[in-house]
Amino acid sequence: GRVWQYVVVAVLVRAFLFSQGFYEVFSARNEVVTPASSYKRVTEGLFLLDAGLDPYAGSIYMQPPLVLALLYPFRSLHVTFTYALYVACDVIIALALYSIAKSYKVDKDREITTHFPDIVALLFLFNPFTILNCIGLSTTTFNNVSVVLCLYFAHRGQSTLSLLFLAMSAYLTVYSSMLVIPLILLLKDKKYHQSMSRHPHRSISSTMYAVLLFVGLVGGLLYLSSTLLDSWHFLYESYGVTFMLHDLTPTVGVFWYYFMEIFEHFRTFYLFVFQYHPFIYAIPLTMRLNHRPVFLFWALTAIISVFKAYPSVGDASLSLGLLPVLHSHPHGGVFALFGYGALVSIVTLFCCVLAPIFWHMWIYAGTGNANFYYAITLVYTLASVLLIVDVVSAALKIDYLAKHA
Amino acid sequence: ALMTVAYHLVLLCLLLWTSYTLCIPSTTPTTLYTVDGDFFDEELIVRALNKNKLLSHFHFTNEWDAPATPTSSSSSSSSSHQQHHYALFPKPIGHIMQQFDLEEMHLTFTQGRWRHESWGEPILPAPVGVELYAWFSSNDKNNNSTSASAVDKKWVGLTHALSGLFCGSVQILSNAQKSSSSRPACSFTSRQQKDQSSSSSSSFFTHHHHLYDDFTSKCNNTMLRHGILPREGACTENMTPWTKLLPCRGEAGLGALLNPLVMYDVYYHSMGTHVTRECIVAAAGDSSRDHAHHARCHRYKYRLEQTLTLVMDIKSSSTTTPSTTPLHLVSHYGRTKPLIKCPLARHSHVTFLDFPSSSLSIPSSSSSAINDITPSIALPYTTLTAFELPLASSSEHITFTPAHLPERSPSQQPPSLLVHRHLTGYGEERGGISARIINRGNETALITYYEAVPWYLRLYYHTLKIYLNGSLIHPSASSPSSSSHPLHLHFIPGELHQSPSIIDITLLLPPRSGISLEIEFEKAFLHYSEHPPDPNRGFDIGPAIVTARFGQGHVTRIYTEGLVVSLPRPDFSMLYNVIFLTWGVMGFMSFRFIFSLALRRWKHTFKGDSFVSDRPIALAFRKVQAMLANRRRRRQREGTQDERKED
């Protein structure tokens, strides 16, 4: 199909960018690479491991140990293999998105063509954020693969595999654990559609089973990590250090400048408030969108990508990649009901142009200061929030129309 | 009781004697310095660097034989050092040595960089700022007091005590957040280790590789703590307490030359306090040391060496040509009275190096046999003229003629080792450190490069590259961790807010060759309160320490240049604004939006065929819109009516 043509072109584009040394350019950008997703820090962790030291020594490497285990075989190989791994991840995400979109029955009433699944893949593969994330070798890619595969297997009704990939994502970033709510709702939905019969008490037991399986899988991954390193100190060195935000390197998020400027005696309080803040949204959104698990899944993914401690454009590329899937959803068609569509696109473009300029003015030229860059990250956050608000209100409007019109 | 009375009597006599001799220096207290076997020596070494510059090195040695305390733990020492009797030895130093159970301690306050290229090798190398390193006692049977944490606790105490004693900011060295205190494994050798190595290895450089392995395996200074404060300025408030440690203060002897107004108007000023403790095991007479068995020490021999090195211009009437009229030596230090000996000193001499005899005139009363006097420290120079100071004051001065001084000091050789270090990269995001070590001599040197980089520079060890004469030796192509050239790498990554990152490299540097090191780092973004009061100046990074060991046990230590690193700064006036703006976006814009969305009823917003806003402003806007539309419609209707009328 056409999707394969897109994949081939996307691979060629990435191969060209890698061959021209764009890794050096993109991996130096703090919007692309954060302390929690830097490939350079993984290299340092691998070097320390090879030198017989603790990979977490020095608090440079702060990702879970299995990332280290994944990239361990690549350290002695030629760098092309690492590039190939990242490109393969992008291709897997695109194909998974393609088949999710294809699994939705084509709605003749809405202007959804049969090519729409191809376009979903196209929009992901050629999203500049995805390309930046891939060429910058950000390990966010692995989280994105897990989240998308989790959704893919949920659509195919394979609950165990789906929960396994969600557990992997939760293992990589703790925030993903709240995606278990929409996933269980989605799996229940699928089961209901498949069996065409409703057993309320069985659904409660299956929910319990899914939650226990999820917790068990995460525990299994943590246990595997501890056996690899022979100690449990990685829990603090990866999750604890991310939670405590010792590294104040600027990202596109709201954390860095706030904790650079906050008074020392308020730090702990606000740390807890900021870290729990994204989890708060799960409650009202679940109450309002429990019959639309895919929308809930998207909304929570987008909230994580804005309000996590170290967000990057790679996180945004995941939520932007999932957005066309929502449009192709049988109860979708969100784009038609967007209120801030133009505003969000223009503001995002504005941020993309001004962020590197302000960064240069602050860090290199000395003609601007930190406030410039801070203002841009605030605007970016605002644009992302407006997009979430738009999508959620579009979903609610569609519900209202279905009921009343 | 009789013993106590006798003891007090002796004490009283000594007190009287001391005050008496201090008041009337013309009497001859020949027996004073032999009391308890203690003595005090003072020495001044003056060296002509060229026609305009003089190097002066003051060296005061104070030795004290003290009985060992029953247990040298810090808990009981407060009561135990009352038994000691301090005659010449300064009491605060004795207290510090006993309180913190020190084997050896070196503290230097330095201003200005030693210029190896033009001044040759220094008598005592010291970095700019404050350097403190100390060995704590490992002889204690009690393991608790020799563990790393116990030593760290003593180190904190020591830095605080010294900062109180010398009115410096030495206590910052024990502040893990700010300083780069560490434990160099191979760079420093204590006197104890020196004694051992000189007795054991005589055929030093016959088998390079064997020696190398032997050396690197021996590197283990667990009881050593070392720290440098690169930014601390040495000044008179540090000098005054230091002078007070001298038995004659600044009143007599060479101490009288210490004029603070002159001492700091110099190219190089380095004031050191070095204390060592020697353990004497057996009874009196037999002073053999026993390190291996950790036998209990019966007595300790404390040795305090106070040094002051100055490089300063020769003050003459004309600035362009050196004066031909003889100058008084004392006038060089801003004093007028002729030099006399400190009455409490056993020896008091002045040594002139690189002074042609034509340029020097020594008063007849003071000259003693030149050959009899040997300087108390090993000097890397040969030509010297030395004499003992007179005890009685005389009107005669030691004088020298600047015009007769050599153009360039004859004994000065260009140093065989050259070390430089600099920063690479630009911007406030990332950078690198690059260092070069060049061996110009004809001898292979065993080089130890030690660097403690503060935690706010995030070192990437995998970017370390070492080149020997331009060819890469680390990381080697064959295997990433090992190297073809014998190389001993030791890394300790620094912990955030806690400890510095350590690079410790030992390698053999062949003659007439050089190595260069490169490593990359990232600059941390700090909390606003972690920046210094003048954040735009940047952070001072202490020098790297290069220790070179040549054949015949010759060791030199060179401190590289310090670095100033500019870190990215937040806006220090934005505290409240950032709290307000961030919460504006997070609380008002996102939290409120999404929660109000969850509570929203669409009944009021769905008008016929599309969704409209139900906000007050939107309602008002719609009302105005409707009004305008009505008016337009009415006007149109009127228009058509008029047309009809015309028709």
Side-chain angles (χ1 to χ4, degrees), chain B residues 66-99:
Chain B
T69 52
T71 51
S72 43
S73 64
S74 52
S75 57
S76 64
S77 59
S78 54
S79 60
S80 63
H81 49 58
Q82 265 134 38
Q83 327 165 354
H84 296 312
H85 173 63
Y86 294 87
L88 290 166
F89 200 79
K91 202 168 174 178
I93 296 289
H95 276 201
I96 285 170
M97 292 298 283
Q98 284 158 5
Q99 175 101 42

Side-chain angles (χ1 to χ4, degrees), chain A residues 2-21:
Chain A
R2 199 171 284 177
V3 67
W4 288 106
Q5 295 169 19
Y6 297 150
V7 165
V8 168
V9 175
V11 169
L12 287 177
V13 166
R14 283 160 173 74
F16 173 76
L17 289 173
F18 274 129
S19 68
Q20 297 304 308

